[in-house]
Amino acid sequence: ENFSFNSTVTIPANAYNATLVVNGVDTEGLTTDPKKIVIDIVDSDSFLIGSESLEISIYMVCPVEATKFTGNYLMEQVSAEIDGPTLSDGAVVAISSVDATTRSFVTQTYPNYCGSFNKTFTFNLVCNTIVVPTQGTTCSCGDPDGWFSAAETPESYDANDDAEFLITFTDDTKSNCGAPAQTTYKFTKQ
């Protein structure tokens, strides 16, 4: 098992909630691929709660220094364009640290069509692999939710060298405007 938790949670008197702590266990089998844990919560003799299921994902995390992969970067689309660039191209963006493994920057989406609409684009630094989580767009010809997602083959990074790196992601994940495409941007520290 890659996790442990106390199977009993006590709700204190005059309270309506309690905390269940799930601890990840660093074992050989734990990877960066999320493992889903499903906990079924059921009624007991002393209370009625109804039937509920709680899903928890557990995966390996490799924290990155808060100052790494932050600051001003020139971003350039290096993959083929699909009727123009997907995000800002040739622009300097400020990448900020959201937490130990998440970074974000503000960019245009499809600037040839919706140049005035900015979006916060997020990526995760997951144990030497850059993963773009599923996120929406501010410019689409269909459902804007879940527009961008993880690449078929994510890029790698060196935690000790943030001078230049690549981010690849799936563009138009749901095929709203065309077939999904793998889009790559190069980021060069300024």
Side-chain angles (χ1 to χ4, degrees), residues 14-154:
N14 300 318
Y16 296 98
N17 54 46
T19 301
L20 170 69
V21 177
V22 178
N23 295 303
V25 178
D26 190 6
T27 64
E28 291 290 321
L30 191 60
T31 68
T32 57
D33 296 326
K35 293 189 185 293
K36 188 184 298 185
I37 303 166
V38 179
I39 300 173
D40 292 321
I41 303 170
V42 295
D43 296 336
S44 85
D45 294 337
S46 58
F47 68 89
L48 296 174
I49 193 167
S51 179
E52 294 287 330
S53 289
L54 174 66
E55 288 188 6
I56 300 170
S57 292
I58 190 166
Y59 53 91
M60 185 169 58
V61 176
C62 305
V64 178
E65 288 181 42
T67 59
K68 293 290 187 178
F69 301 92
T70 62
N72 292 331
Y73 281 85
L74 171 65
M75 62 183 288
E76 302 169 282
Q77 185 164 339
V78 295
S79 59
E81 292 184 356
I82 304 166
D83 200 20
T86 299
L87 305 175
S88 300
D89 185 30
V92 174
V93 294
I95 298 177
S96 59
S97 174
V98 176
D99 60 35
T101 59
T102 305
R103 304 293 185 264
S104 68
F105 58 92
V106 175
T107 181
Q108 297 173 318
T109 56
Y110 305 102
N112 289 2
Y113 297 101
C114 303
S116 61
F117 295 102
N118 289 329
K119 144 188 199 31
T120 299
F121 194 92
T122 302
F123 63 97
N124 297 320
L125 302 166
V126 183
C127 300
N128 301 321
T129 302
I130 297 176
V131 178
V132 173
T134 301
Q135 56 195 294
T137 182
T138 54
C139 180
S140 73
C141 54
D143 180 5
D145 294 330
W147 193 269
F148 303 115
S149 64
E152 291 173 2
T153 305

